[in-house]
Amino acid sequence: MTYCVGVLVEDGLVMIADTRTNAGLDNISTFRKLHMFNVPGERVMMLASAGNLSMTQSVLSMLREGVDDREGEMPPKLEDAATMFKAAQLVGRAIRRVREIEQAGFEAANLRMEVSFLFGGQIGDEPMRLFMIYSAGNFIECSREAPFLQIGEHKYGKPILDRAVTYETDLYDALKVGLVSMDSTMRSNLGVGLPIDIAVQRRGQLDLEVSHRIEAGESYFHDLRERWSAALRAAHRAIPRPPYGPQR
């Protein structure tokens, strides 16, 4: 299982992804799910993945080496895309191409060809953008009204983001709330776990401001988890008891 979240606010973009993959309770591994396609000073592009690991790795390799879906043309690479929209289209093309190549084998093994991606960043002077790209290669874009997107095991972290994040939220408050949503997901689903990769890009700056892996035992994340749990307990105690049934 996987949990990835992207938050696009006025000040910039936050991307967070766990690293746990599993094929059964006794086969748990760690793989990076947040990938960078950056040219400092020219573009910053981040791609977070969820779904079948072999498919996501094939899509990533194709985006780096070239999406060879048109005969007689030089295979385009993600780093050569002129705009973020064209780059998102290229990710969709890579997904469809991998499906074409691998479909017979997947069907013979009775495996699902399910992948999804969060893709965000900025190229040159164009606006910063964030997309969610589906298994069919189609995609939607983040908006001011809904400033975050999630893939994977999203249901446990979504209520926190719904209540706490707006387009005007400070960039590092957005990172903090995103980490709280990750903690809530980890507590409710053992298929999501540490380490956690995070990246922060400030709008208009064509380089990453933060690129960091949170390992087990890191003091800030441990403190965040403990403080959030204590705050929830305090909020529970502060809310009056429901006026139903016998009163004490």
Side-chain angles (χ1 to χ4, degrees):
M1 191 55 72
T2 295
Y3 177 53
C4 305
V5 59
V7 186
L8 181 62
V9 294
E10 188 171 14
D11 292 335
L13 175 65
V14 170
M15 296 280 277
I16 306 173
D18 85 310
T19 57
R20 180 167 293 179
T21 64
N22 64 289
L25 294 176
D26 60 348
N27 186 12
I28 296 174
S29 302
T30 296
F31 285 90
R32 177 174 290 275
K33 302 173 190 174
L34 180 56
H35 308 272
M36 312 301 177
F37 293 79
N38 301 340
V39 181
E42 177 187 312
R43 66 185 63 209
V44 173
M45 297 182 292
M46 295 172 271
L47 193 68
S49 61
N52 182 277
L53 183 60
S54 68
M55 275 199 71
T56 61
Q57 290 184 340
S58 293
V59 170
L60 287 162
S61 295
M62 193 171 288
L63 291 170
R64 290 191 173 98
E65 296 181 14
V67 183
D68 58 342
D69 61 343
R70 295 182 180 179
E71 294 185 5
E73 294 187 6
M74 181 70 70
K77 302 177 183 178
L78 190 61
E79 65 184 22
D80 297 327
T83 67
M84 285 297 294
F85 179 76
K86 289 186 180 298
Q89 286 184 314
L90 188 62
V91 177
R93 284 169 55 187
I95 295 171
R96 290 191 291 271
R97 182 60 176 145
V98 172
R99 292 177 72 92
E100 290 173 4
I101 295 170
E102 304 292 349
Q103 185 168 0
F106 270 71
E107 290 179 350
N110 197 29
L111 296 174
R112 298 178 64 187
M113 302 186 73
E114 293 295 328
V115 294
S116 57
F117 294 90
L118 294 180
F119 176 60
Q122 185 173 2
I123 297 176
D125 295 330
E126 76 157 1
M128 178 175 283
R129 303 175 80 169
L130 174 63
F131 302 92
M132 179 163 62
I133 306 173
Y134 297 101
S135 192
N138 57 322
F139 54 85
I140 62 172
E141 184 172 1
C142 191
S143 67
R144 293 176 65 103
E145 293 74 26
F148 65 88
L149 293 170
Q150 303 164 281
I151 55 175
E153 188 61 271
H154 63 274
K155 58 182 176 290
Y156 301 109
K158 188 175 187 299
I160 296 162
L161 296 164
D162 282 334
R163 290 177 180 271
V165 172
T166 69
Y167 185 72
E168 290 75 27
T169 298
D170 174 81
L171 183 59
Y172 285 88
D173 282 343
L175 174 60
K176 178 172 64 178
V177 175
L179 290 174
V180 171
S181 81
M182 177 65 76
D183 172 56
S184 297
T185 304
M186 290 168 55
R187 286 179 181 270
S188 299
N189 190 315
L190 295 178
V192 177
L194 292 161
I196 299 167
D197 289 318
I198 63 175
V200 178
Q201 181 195 2
R202 193 168 294 276
R203 192 180 295 271
Q205 294 185 4
L206 298 177
D207 203 354
L208 287 175
E209 192 163 287
V210 173
S211 178
H212 179 69
R213 171 163 287 191
I214 298 174
E215 300 281 359
E218 184 170 314
S219 59
Y220 174 79
F221 190 66
H222 175 77
D223 184 57
L224 177 143
R225 304 184 78 175
E226 293 300 315
R227 286 174 180 264
W228 178 244
S229 295
L232 287 176
R233 291 192 293 269
H236 158 67
R237 291 192 296 266
I239 296 173
R241 186 181 180 192
Y244 317 118
Q247 298 298 303
R248 292 186 292 185

